[in-house]
Amino acid sequence: MKSSEVKATLSFSDGSPSIELPIYQGSAGPDVIDIRKLYGQTGKFTYDPGFLSTASCNSAITFIDGDKGELLYRGYPIEQLAVQCDYMETCYLILYGELPNAAQKQEFVRRVSQHTMVNEQMQFFLRGFRRDAHPMAVLTGLVGAMSAFYPDSINLHDVAQRDISAIRLIAKLPTLVAMAYKYNMGQPYMYPRNDLSYAGNFMRMMWATPCEEYVPNPVIERALDRIFILHADHEQNASTSTVRLCASSGTNPFAAIAAGVACLWGPAHGGANEACLNMLYEIEAAGGVARIGEFIAKVKDKNSSVRLMGFGHRVYKNYDPRAKLMRETCHEVLDALGLHNDPLFKLAMTLEKIALEDDYFIQRKLYPNVDFYSGIVQKAIGVPVSLFTAIFALARTVGWIAQLNEMIADPEYKIGRPRQLFTGSPARQVLPLAQRA
Ligand code: SDX
């Protein structure tokens, strides 16, 4: 980043001395005002709950232009990556900064496929859960538990250990997600197969049984691979910021990623795809398209907490480019599976059309986000609703790791420790129990 010629001058109406703050320019997006010396020079903090106007770091991984609806991974538009690349190439790009050539891709895929099995002891963790445990509860536990199995790759400050833990996490997340699914189904786990693609291997671990051979449907394989690409990274969203803050204490990468999994679970974040499908089910059960108007009225009613799940975004004030690609994937998969009359898909498209023409949504710049269509396509390919967010976590693991590595490699990084505006009681004396009213 480079310093701007323009400085920010902060002056105070109470006559306190004004100060100058440097402004930095990135390669794209808004400039930033460096406030690191503000407290030291003024004794004051800034105040920004929810970080609406705060850049927590500098990063070269992902760029979003919310007004244009633009998303770039290392400068490449998501529309090109989703069509011309696969998830393994995208992982390499996000992790190392450049798209791999054929030899680099082959070596990366080989390295990942050598780490797809998990320790046999991992299966005993699942036995502690009830069969109907939510997969995100299971996954949070399993990812954190990985810290106990790889003592040779828990030192965040060792580049080689950071690299092997990245490979292990990318390789093992599909295995763990599939194990959570099989445990829920009461079926035996399927071991990974290194002769299959990343998505094909995940499909086999999910839907194959020991009783017969399983060949991944190429349409679904491609659709899943694209779903992984679309979810791979997204700058400083809530779960990525969680991973960065967690890792800033120097904890191990598995624990930091487990924190990201836990944060992603929330319905305002990665849990929105599950919440969106449940919303569509509710509207369908209440009468379908005929009841959309009533539902939208509830969403607009200030006294109701009902939100149009899969709509709105802190950064996108235009169409989420991932939603457009996800809708295309939806069409392709539903057509390929002969489900083009899927009532939920029709309901979703009608709901989208009505919302995009409604002043409430137009005024607030609320557009479909990545979660609006991802649930429909996952349901169509046989993923249970409760597993949607676990698949989001599987895909986002590479982004979390890359962001964690970028932070640790930044010589300026410190442990994250925000301050506060204190509004509680001033100091007071403890009364002995007998004297308390
Ligand atoms: C993801 O950050 C990321 O990059 C996340 C993500 C990623 O890849 O990591 O993109 C993944 O989390 C996508 C978002 C998934 N969440 C949902 O679809 C849940 C529904 N969406 C909302 O909860 C909401 O839009 C958020 C949480 C996504 C964004 O919230 P903001 O930016 O804090 O917006 P806000 O709550 O301040 O809303 C502004 C206004 C409010 O109305 P007013 O008070 O001004 O009258 O818009 C309204 C909100 O009530 N609003 C909605 C709405 N989202 C915002 N009203 C109805 N339905 C919605 N979905």
Side-chain angles (χ1 to χ4, degrees):
M1 60 197 173
K2 62 183 194 299
S3 288
S4 159
E5 294 306 309
V6 177
K7 299 276 181 252
T9 302
L10 187 58
S11 58
F12 299 90
S13 56
D14 64 2
S16 306
S18 63
I19 63 166
E20 278 208 347
L21 298 167
I23 293 179
Y24 303 131
Q25 292 172 319
S27 49
D31 294 350
V32 298
I33 300 171
D34 183 346
I35 56 166
R36 284 176 288 187
K37 293 191 168 54
L38 179 76
Y39 178 55
Q41 292 178 358
T42 69
K44 291 180 174 58
F45 297 139
T46 58
Y47 183 66
D48 187 14
F51 311 117
L52 287 144
S53 300
T54 294
S56 61
C57 63
N58 69 79
S59 178
I61 299 172
T62 294
F63 178 72
I64 300 169
D65 182 321
D67 295 327
K68 285 191 212 157
E70 181 182 54
L71 168 58
L72 311 176
Y73 290 163
R74 299 286 190 180
Y76 293 104
I78 191 70
E79 295 81 358
Q80 294 180 31
L81 292 169
V83 171
Q84 298 180 49
C85 299
D86 66 15
Y87 182 65
M88 286 288 96
E89 290 169 82
T90 306
C91 284
Y92 188 98
L93 170 69
I94 289 173
L95 277 176
Y96 306 122
E98 296 297 335
L99 281 169
N101 60 31
Q104 288 164 331
K105 176 181 177 180
Q106 188 182 17
E107 174 56 11
F108 183 72
V109 170
R110 185 198 66 76
R111 287 187 73 205
V112 169
S113 62
Q114 293 306 304
H115 290 278
T116 47
M117 277 205 299
V118 294
N119 186 296
E120 278 293 282
Q121 293 295 104
M122 289 292 271
Q123 63 185 295
F124 302 115
F125 286 111
L126 287 117
R127 288 186 187 170
F129 290 98
R130 288 178 10 176
R131 290 278 179 182
D132 62 355
H134 194 289
M136 286 300 277
V138 177
L139 195 62
T140 305
L142 292 177
V143 175
M146 284 174 75
S147 315
F149 288 88
Y150 304 105
D152 64 334
S153 65
I154 54 176
N155 176 1
L156 262 187
H157 299 289
D158 178 320
V159 176
Q161 292 193 36
R162 280 210 306 272
D163 191 47
I164 184 62
S165 58
I167 296 292
R168 279 179 167 141
L169 280 157
I170 292 167
K172 297 178 196 300
L173 256 288
T175 310
L176 295 177
V177 172
M179 287 174 76
Y181 173 65
K182 285 301 200 186
Y183 183 72
N184 177 261
M185 296 293 286
Q187 286 186 357
Y189 304 127
M190 296 301 291
Y191 284 102
R193 279 282 298 275
N194 297 336
D195 57 335
L196 295 174
S197 72
Y198 189 84
N201 178 40
F202 175 63
M203 289 169 66
R204 185 177 169 280
M205 292 190 289
M206 281 280 291
W207 291 303
T209 68
C211 316
E212 53 197 36
E213 276 313 302
Y214 175 88
V215 178
N217 173 327
V219 173
I220 296 177
E221 188 173 3
R222 182 65 191 135
L224 261 179
D225 191 82
R226 179 179 283 190
I227 288 170
F228 296 161
I229 292 172
L230 296 180
H231 288 85
D233 192 49
H234 214 238
E235 65 163 64
Q236 307 312 316
N237 59 82
S239 53
T240 298
S241 301
T242 299
V243 170
R244 278 179 173 257
L245 193 56
C246 186
S248 73
S249 74
T251 188
N252 69 78
F254 304 105
I257 300 303
V261 174
C263 174
L264 187 76
W265 192 0
H269 190 15
N273 50 20
E274 177 178 355
C276 181
L277 209 82
N278 289 332
M279 171 190 75
L280 291 172
Y281 278 138
E282 276 169 37
I283 298 171
E284 187 70 8
V289 173
R291 306 300 290 273
I292 287 181
E294 201 179 301
F295 176 77
I296 294 282
K298 273 191 221 154
V299 169
K300 292 153 67 172
D301 174 3
K302 274 289 152 218
N303 300 320
S304 98
S305 60
V306 174
R307 287 207 156 181
L308 183 52
M309 301 313 281
F311 259 68
H313 198 276
R314 173 63 55 76
V315 177
Y316 288 121
K317 301 309 172 191
N318 197 328
Y319 219 103
D320 180 339
R322 301 169 298 175
K324 282 182 192 160
L325 289 159
M326 194 64 79
R327 186 174 56 189
E328 274 171 34
T329 302
C330 240
H331 269 302
E332 287 162 19
V333 169
L334 294 173
D335 281 349
L337 299 179
L339 300 170
H340 33 269
N341 290 323
D342 179 323
L344 278 186
F345 185 57
K346 286 183 178 299
L347 178 64
M349 289 198 292
T350 310
L351 188 55
E352 175 191 357
K353 185 174 181 314
I354 292 172
L356 291 178
E357 291 165 359
D358 186 299
D359 208 36
Y360 174 93
F361 295 90
I362 294 168
Q363 270 177 18
R364 292 168 179 79
K365 298 186 176 180
L366 301 175
Y367 289 86
N369 58 51
V370 67
D371 293 302
F372 190 64
Y373 284 103
S374 69
I376 300 165
V377 63
Q378 289 184 77
K379 172 187 155 296
I381 61 181
V383 178
V385 178
S386 65
L387 207 74
F388 289 175
T389 310
I391 289 179
F392 191 151
L394 180 168
R396 181 56 58 88
T397 292
V398 65
W400 287 331
I401 294 164
Q403 298 272 353
L404 179 162
N405 287 348
E406 182 178 62
M407 176 188 75
I408 296 293
D410 179 346
E412 286 192 333
Y413 108 86
K414 293 177 179 302
I415 185 168
R417 206 290 187 201
R419 303 303 301 271
Q420 63 182 7
L421 172 67
F422 181 67
T423 56
S425 165
R428 52 183 170 163
Q429 303 308 308
V430 173
L431 277 181
L433 185 58
Q435 294 176 30
R436 286 176 222 148

